Amino acid sequence: GNVSFSCLEPQVVPVTFLSSSSYLALPGTSGQDEVFVSFQFRTWNKEGLLLSSKLHQSSGGFLLYLSDGRVKTNLHKTGRVLNDITSGAGLNDGQWHSVSLSVKRNRISVRVDNDVTSSAHASIPLQIYSGDVFYFGGCPSSGNVSECNTSFGGFQGCMRLISIGNKAVDMISVQQNGFGNFSDLQIDLCGITDRCLPNYCEHGGECSQSWNSFHCNCANTGYKGATCHYPIYEQSCEAYKHRGNTSGFYNIDSDGSGPLGPFLVYCNMTDATWTIIQHNSTNLTRVKSANRENPHTVFFKYSASLDQLQATINLADHCEQELAYYCKKSRLLDKSDGMPLSWWIGRTNETHTYWGGSLPAVQKCACGLEGSCIDSQHHCNCDADRDEWTNDTGFLSYKDHLPVTEIVITDTDRPNSEAAYKLGPLLCRGDRTFWNSASFNTETSYLHFPTFHGELSADVSFFFKTTASSGVFLENLGIQDFIRIELHSPSEVVFSFDVGNGPSEVIVQSRKSLNDNQWHYVKAERNVKEASLQIDQLPQRSHSAPPDGHIRLQLNSQLFVGGTASRQKGFLGCIRSLQLNGMALDLEERAKITPGVEPGCPGHCSSYGNLCHNGGKCREKHNGFSCDCTFSAYAGPFCKKGKHISAYFWTGTSVTYNFQEYYTLAKNSSSHASSFYADMTLTREAITFAFRTMRTPSLLLYVSSFYKEYLSVILTRNGDLQIRYKLDSHQDPDVFSISFKNMADGQLQHVKINREEEMLFVEVNQNERMKFILSSGTEFNAIKSLTLGKILENSDVDEETMKANSQGFIGCLSSVQFNHIAPLKAALHHSSSAPVIVKGRFTESNCGTLTGADSTSSETTHSFADHSGPIDEGKPLANTIRSDSAIIGGVIAVVIFILLCITAIAIRIYKKKGIYSKNEAKGSENEDSAESALKSELSMQNTANENQKEYFF
C-alpha cells in the first residue's frame, strides 16, 4: 500500500528565559468559556512565574507559578483570591516537567507530569472567560513595575512544547516576529547549566543550585565555607590547649583542609599535651595452643583510619604505644634457627620482631638493650623459656612503625606453655607545626617553597607578630595569575589575587593596631565561589567570584614567604604555623639556610600569658610556653584546676607567708621595708579557707601591715566566727561576728570573705551571703605577711586577737587562698623557693576531705580506659574521715585496722586459690577475668619465689 520510508518527528524548539525580566507573550482567543494551556519546563530555581493571563472584561486573572519547587495556581479578582491550589514537588531538579492547566465553566484543574497523583482540582464561584494574551515566564514592565503585579520574580529556565487551546505554538514563527512578542529570550536552545556537575562541594558537602549559582550544605561534614573547604576542628590537641581548653574528648582534623576527615580523640592537657587514640582490644588476652601451623592472630582496629593515624603521627613530636607481653614457656625467638616465634605488624604492613622498649631492626627486647635479661644468653626474658611467668614489656616509639595493627603468637602449644598480651592506646605528644616559626630580620629576606598550581580551592593560614607598619607576608606569581597577602597599614590586611578574571582584593580592617608585637591569626581562602579573609576573631570579609569566570589558579613560581620576588616591601617580624591547603611548611628548617632569617620566634607569653589563671606565671619555652602554678592555689596546664591542700596544725605551729614583692626587694636592699609599699594599696581582698577544730579561742588567719594595719579572723571563746579589720592605725578595728552556731564542733567549716572597698561580704558553709560595712577605712596599705596558726613576731593587735593567739590554732586548715596566694601549697610543696617560714609541727593531711553528713560538695573524676602515659586527672576523694583530735584513739584504730587487713588478706588468698583452680579446670575465660587471674598467678609465683629465697638464706 501507501508506505513512506520515513518518520516525520514534530520539531521541538526550546526557549531559554535568560533573566528574571524575560517573558514570552502569546495571543489567545478572548471571551471563550474554556482555557487549556500546556507546556514543559526545566529549571534550578525554587520560585518563578510560569504563566499569567487577565480574564475577559474583568479586573481579575490567574497565575501559574513555582513556589518552593511546587506548582501553584492562583485565581484572583478585584484583589481577592478566589482559588489557590498546589500540585507536584521537587520540580526545580533541572529535569523536564510537563504542566497542563484546564479551566472550564466553574472548575479549574492542574496536572503535573501527566501524573494523576500530582493533579489538583477545585471549584470556583464564577464563570471564567479567557483573555486575549498569555504571558509565559514573566510580564512586560512599565518603568520598574511589572504588569503581572506579583511578589515573586520571573522564571529562569527553559520551556518547550507550548500549546494553547490544544494548538501547538510555532516558536520559529515567534522568533521571526511573525507571531507573539518576547524579551530577553534565547530561542531554539535550552541554555541551562548544571552547576553541581562537577560537584565543587568538598568533603561530602551537598550541592544545590539556582540558575546563576550553586550552594554547598556543609552540615555534619566537619567543614565550613562556601565550598566546605575549611575545617571547623583544630588539627591537634596542642591547638585546642592553646585556645584554653582542658582535658576531654575532641574532634581533630590532622590534615586540615586536606581530604582526610575529622575523628574523635581524648586530649590529656598536662604540661605536655597528649593525644590518646583507642583501639578495639585493650584488655589482657591469654593465649594457649598456638603454633606455627595454627598461630594466634589478633587485628587491632582504631577509632581512625590508617591514613588519619599517619597524619596525626606525622604531626606529633613524639608517639608511643605500650606493648605488654607475658610468657610462661613461650618464646619470642627460636634460637636454633633464628626464626621469630611471635611478631607484630605496624601501620605499613611490615613485620617487626623487636619488642617494647627496644629499637627497630635489632630483634631484641628492652632487657636485651639494657643487659638485664634474666638469662644473659638471650635478648628477651621470654626466650629463657622458664616454667614461670615473666614478661617483656615496654613502649614502642619508632613513629614510622606505629601503631600496632596485628600481633601473631605461635609458641604456646607445649605442656604448661602460655602467653598473654595487652596493647595500650596510641599516645602522641605535641604538634611540631603549631610552634614552627621563623623571624624575618631584613626587608630583603624571604623564604621560598613550592606552591599551588591548577588548584580549585586554595587556603593559607598563619600567625604573625610585628612592630612594623607594613610588609608582604607571602606572594606567588604566575604569567597572569597571582596571590598576595600583606600588612598594608598597622590596622589593615589585604588579600589580593587574580585567577584570570582581573585583579581583586579582600580587605579586613581592625580597630586595634596589628603591629603591637602580639600574635595575630590570618586565614585566607580562594575557591570557585568566593575569596575570603579573616583576621583573629574579626568578622570574615569575602568577595564573590563571577559565576562563569576562570576558576583555577595557574601559578608557576615559588611561594615567597616574608617578602617578594622583587625584594621590595618585605616583612619584618615573625611568622609561625604556616599552612597551605592543610599542609604545614617547615619554616625553621628553611630558615636555617637562609640569610636574614632565623628559625624560631621568642615572646609567646606576650600573647598567651592571659591563659595562665589564678596567679600562675607564664614561662617561655622554645616551642611555646607553660604556666608555672608554683605560687597559685590551683594546678593544671593553666592553673585552673582546683586542688584541696590541707594541713594539721599542732600547738604553737606557725606558717608565715611574706608577700613576694617585699621578700624579693628586702633581700637586695638596706632601705626601710615600708618604703617599698608606700604606693601599694589593697582596696579589695578575696579570701577562702576551710577549717576543723574543737579548740577556742583560736586564731585562723592574720594579715599584717608595715603601717600597723591588720586583718584577723578568729574563733571566739563561745565558737563564734569573728572578722576584725583595722585599716586605720588611729582607730579601733571594725569587728563583725557570725554567731549562728558553734563552729568549733569538729566539723569542716567553709569560709569565704570578700571585701570591695568599704563593702564586706561573708559566706559560711554555702549559706546566704552576709553584708557588712567598714568604717575604719577602705585601703589596706603596705601589707607585710600572712600568718596561719600562731603569730610569733611582736604585733600591735587588739586584746581579742591576742587572746585567740595565745594558743594559736590546733586543728585542720584546708584550701587557704588570699587573692592569688596559696600559703599552704607554698609551705608544703615549695618551701625551698617560696617566701614562707614554718615553725613548729606541721604535716600535710587529708583532714580537709568532705564525707558523710557534712559533705557540701562533690568532686567528679573522669577517666579514659587504658590511658597509659602521664595522666593529669584528680583522684577520687577517700571515703574516710581521719580524726586528729585524739592521738590515743588513732593508735587504737590503727591496731584494729591492721588486724582486719590480716584477716581480709587471708580470706582473699584463699579465694584466689579457688578461683585459679576453677579457671585452670575451665580452660577458657572472659577478658575481664583474664587480667585478674594472671595477676593472681604472678602474685602467688612471687610469694613462692620469695619463700624459696628465704629458705635458702
Side-chain angles (χ1 to χ4, degrees), residues 541-557:
R541 297 284 184 254
S542 59
H543 176 84
S544 297
D548 299 307
H550 296 281
I551 59 176
R552 294 187 182 273
L553 275 170
Q554 302 294 340
L555 304 172
N556 54 12
S557 73

Side-chain angles (χ1 to χ4, degrees), residues 505-611:
E505 286 186 344
V506 184
I507 300 173
V508 172
Q509 291 184 325
S510 171
R511 293 183 178 179
K512 298 180 180 179
S513 293
L514 300 173
N515 61 341
D516 56 359
N517 207 30
Q518 304 286 311
W519 284 114
H520 296 282
Y521 178 67
V522 178
K523 177 177 76 73
E525 180 184 349
R526 188 266 157 200
N527 54 57
V528 297
K529 277 187 68 73
E530 66 179 22
S532 62
L533 177 65
Q534 184 167 15
I535 308 298
D536 295 331
Q537 300 301 317
L538 296 173
Q540 179 176 283
R541 297 284 184 254
S542 59
H543 176 84
S544 297
D548 299 307
H550 296 281
I551 59 176
R552 294 187 182 273
L553 275 170
Q554 302 294 340
L555 304 172
N556 54 12
S557 73
Q558 297 280 304
L559 173 70
F560 294 90
V561 178
T564 65
S566 62
R567 295 183 179 271
Q568 296 178 351
K569 299 174 63 177
F571 172 72
L572 291 173
C574 285
I575 295 177
R576 72 171 174 85
S577 192
L578 174 60
Q579 299 198 6
L580 273 66
N581 277 354
M583 300 296 293
L585 302 185
D586 196 337
L587 299 174
E588 293 188 357
E589 283 300 313
R590 193 62 60 97
K592 291 177 182 177
I593 57 174
T594 305
V597 185
E598 295 182 2
C601 288
H604 301 300
C605 282
S606 62
S607 296
Y608 295 103
N610 61 333
L611 292 177

Side-chain angles (χ1 to χ4, degrees), residues 73-262:
T73 308
N74 176 286
L75 183 64
H76 58 275
K77 186 176 182 181
T78 61
R80 182 166 59 96
V81 177
L82 302 176
N83 175 270
D84 195 348
I85 60 176
T86 303
S87 55
L91 303 177
N92 61 319
D93 58 0
Q95 303 298 313
W96 285 108
H97 297 280
S98 64
V99 179
S100 60
L101 170 69
S102 175
V103 182
K104 189 173 183 179
R105 297 185 181 89
N106 62 345
R107 184 170 177 81
I108 185 169
S109 175
V110 179
R111 177 173 290 189
V112 175
D113 291 335
N114 293 317
D115 185 358
V116 176
T117 61
S118 295
S119 300
H121 310 277
S123 298
I124 50 180
L126 77 163
Q127 183 72 31
I128 297 296
Y129 295 96
S130 63
D132 56 356
V133 181
F134 293 95
Y135 292 102
F136 291 85
C139 295
S141 300
S142 299
N144 293 325
V145 180
S146 171
E147 293 184 9
C148 296
N149 193 25
T150 61
S151 60
F152 42 85
F155 173 75
Q156 287 181 283
C158 300
M159 289 189 184
R160 71 182 184 185
L161 300 178
I162 300 174
S163 176
I164 300 175
N166 289 317
K167 183 180 179 180
V169 175
D170 184 359
M171 292 306 301
I172 298 300
S173 176
V174 173
Q175 186 180 28
Q176 296 172 351
N177 296 320
F179 182 68
N181 188 20
F182 64 89
S183 174
D184 201 16
L185 296 185
Q186 192 173 32
I187 298 176
D188 202 14
L189 175 69
C190 180
I192 193 169
T193 301
D194 190 343
R195 300 185 183 277
C196 287
L197 189 66
N199 184 1
Y200 294 122
C201 301
E202 302 178 46
H203 300 109
E206 183 179 339
C207 181
S208 61
Q209 59 187 308
S210 63
W211 183 259
N212 293 320
S213 64
F214 69 93
H215 171 74
C216 295
N217 181 359
C218 304
N220 303 317
T221 66
Y223 297 85
K224 61 184 178 179
T227 59
C228 310
H229 176 75
Y230 203 78
I232 63 176
Y233 302 114
E234 299 288 352
Q235 281 192 267
S236 65
C237 290
E238 186 80 18
Y240 278 113
K241 176 182 176 181
H242 291 93
R243 282 173 46 181
N245 296 83
T246 56
S247 297
F249 289 95
Y250 296 91
N251 281 295
I252 63 170
D253 196 335
S254 299
D255 71 335
S257 57
L260 304 177

Side-chain angles (χ1 to χ4, degrees), residues 229-407:
H229 176 75
Y230 203 78
I232 63 176
Y233 302 114
E234 299 288 352
Q235 281 192 267
S236 65
C237 290
E238 186 80 18
Y240 278 113
K241 176 182 176 181
H242 291 93
R243 282 173 46 181
N245 296 83
T246 56
S247 297
F249 289 95
Y250 296 91
N251 281 295
I252 63 170
D253 196 335
S254 299
D255 71 335
S257 57
L260 304 177
F263 61 98
L264 190 67
V265 301
Y266 185 85
C267 295
N268 191 30
M269 311 295 192
T270 59
D271 239 0
T273 305
W274 290 89
T275 301
I276 302 171
I277 306 173
Q278 271 294 357
H279 56 77
N280 61 337
S281 182
T282 57
N283 293 320
L284 183 78
T285 303
R286 299 179 72 160
V287 181
K288 292 182 179 180
S289 305
N291 52 46
R292 287 177 173 172
E293 291 72 30
N294 184 32
H296 172 87
T297 304
V298 59
F299 298 91
F300 298 95
K301 184 176 180 180
Y302 290 81
S303 57
S305 69
L306 290 180
D307 288 336
Q308 290 171 323
L309 292 172
Q310 180 174 351
T312 303
I313 291 169
N314 291 342
L315 203 64
D317 291 324
H318 168 82
C319 290
E320 61 185 35
Q321 193 167 18
E322 186 178 32
L323 178 55
Y325 190 88
Y326 300 90
C327 52
K328 183 169 66 171
K329 288 188 68 66
S330 174
R331 297 159 296 168
L332 295 172
L333 176 70
D334 188 345
K335 198 170 184 181
S336 61
D337 58 11
M339 295 296 292
L341 294 168
S342 295
W343 59 89
W344 58 274
I345 296 174
R347 182 183 72 241
T348 57
N349 209 32
E350 295 179 352
T351 298
H352 304 290
T353 55
Y354 71 97
W355 294 84
S358 184
L359 299 175
V362 297
Q363 203 164 343
K364 291 182 180 181
C365 300
C367 70
L369 288 181
E370 299 165 356
S372 59
C373 296
I374 58 175
D375 187 336
S376 59
Q377 297 182 12
H378 299 280
H379 299 308
C380 293
N381 289 322
C382 290
D383 290 343
D385 204 23
R386 295 190 176 183
D387 192 12
E388 62 181 15
W389 283 107
T390 186
N391 75 91
D392 287 297
T393 297
F395 283 92
L396 303 168
S397 57
Y398 189 63
K399 287 171 60 175
D400 289 351
H401 294 168
L402 295 177
V404 177
T405 60
E406 184 180 346
I407 291 178

Side-chain angles (χ1 to χ4, degrees), residues 635-864:
F638 303 114
C639 309
K640 292 173 67 176
K641 182 179 177 183
K643 189 171 183 181
H644 298 281
I645 296 179
S646 308
Y648 194 85
F649 285 67
W650 305 81
T651 303
T653 302
S654 174
V655 175
T656 300
Y657 186 99
N658 295 291
F659 289 101
Q660 182 72 16
E661 294 87 350
Y662 157 67
Y663 187 80
T664 303
L665 291 168
K667 290 193 297 184
N668 301 312
S669 174
S670 58
S671 302
H672 192 271
S674 64
S675 65
F676 299 132
Y677 278 86
D679 299 324
M680 180 178 175
T681 300
L682 285 182
T683 59
R684 58 186 62 202
E685 295 89 43
I687 305 168
T688 60
F689 62 92
F691 70 92
R692 200 195 284 271
T693 187
M694 298 182 72
R695 298 291 186 94
T696 61
S698 291
L699 177 69
L700 299 174
L701 180 145
Y702 172 74
V703 181
S704 65
S705 160
F706 287 106
Y707 293 164
K708 298 183 179 180
E709 300 173 4
Y710 65 85
L711 160 67
S712 65
V713 183
I714 66 174
L715 284 181
T716 63
R717 187 170 297 279
N718 60 359
D720 292 347
L721 180 71
Q722 201 171 86
I723 301 166
R724 309 177 76 86
Y725 259 107
K726 185 172 183 178
L727 301 184
D728 186 335
S729 58
H730 304 293
Q731 293 186 20
D732 292 334
D734 289 311
V735 180
F736 309 101
S737 295
I738 293 93
S739 56
F740 63 90
K741 62 170 287 188
N742 180 3
M743 301 187 71
D745 58 0
Q747 301 298 310
L748 193 64
Q749 318 287 348
H750 288 266
V751 179
K752 290 183 180 180
I753 302 171
N754 288 276
R755 181 181 74 90
E756 297 176 7
E757 296 184 338
E758 75 279 1
M759 307 296 294
L760 182 67
F761 302 93
V762 181
E763 181 182 317
V764 177
N765 294 336
Q766 298 182 348
N767 291 315
E768 184 177 355
R769 191 166 70 158
M770 294 164 280
K771 177 180 175 182
F772 305 96
I773 306 294
L774 273 72
S775 60
S776 64
T778 61
E779 297 179 350
F780 198 169
N781 298 292
I783 58 173
K784 177 183 178 183
S785 62
L786 181 150
T787 299
L788 305 174
K790 187 176 180 65
I791 307 170
L792 299 180
E793 63 181 15
N794 294 326
S795 300
D796 188 8
V797 296
D798 59 272
E799 185 177 351
E800 288 298 320
T801 301
M802 288 298 295
K803 289 180 181 177
N805 187 55
S806 60
Q807 62 179 4
F809 176 78
I810 301 174
C812 171
L813 279 175
S814 175
S815 304
V816 181
Q817 185 169 351
F818 179 88
N819 292 341
H820 293 311
I821 301 298
L824 285 184
K825 180 180 178 183
L828 291 167
H829 297 169
H830 307 286
S831 58
S832 60
S833 58
V836 63
I837 299 172
V838 179
K839 299 291 185 180
R841 189 177 177 187
F842 174 68
T843 56
E844 186 168 6
S845 170
N846 67 345
C847 58
T849 298
L850 293 176
T851 55
D854 69 334
S855 294
T856 57
S857 64
S858 63
E859 177 177 304
T860 303
T861 60
H862 302 276
S863 64
F864 191 78

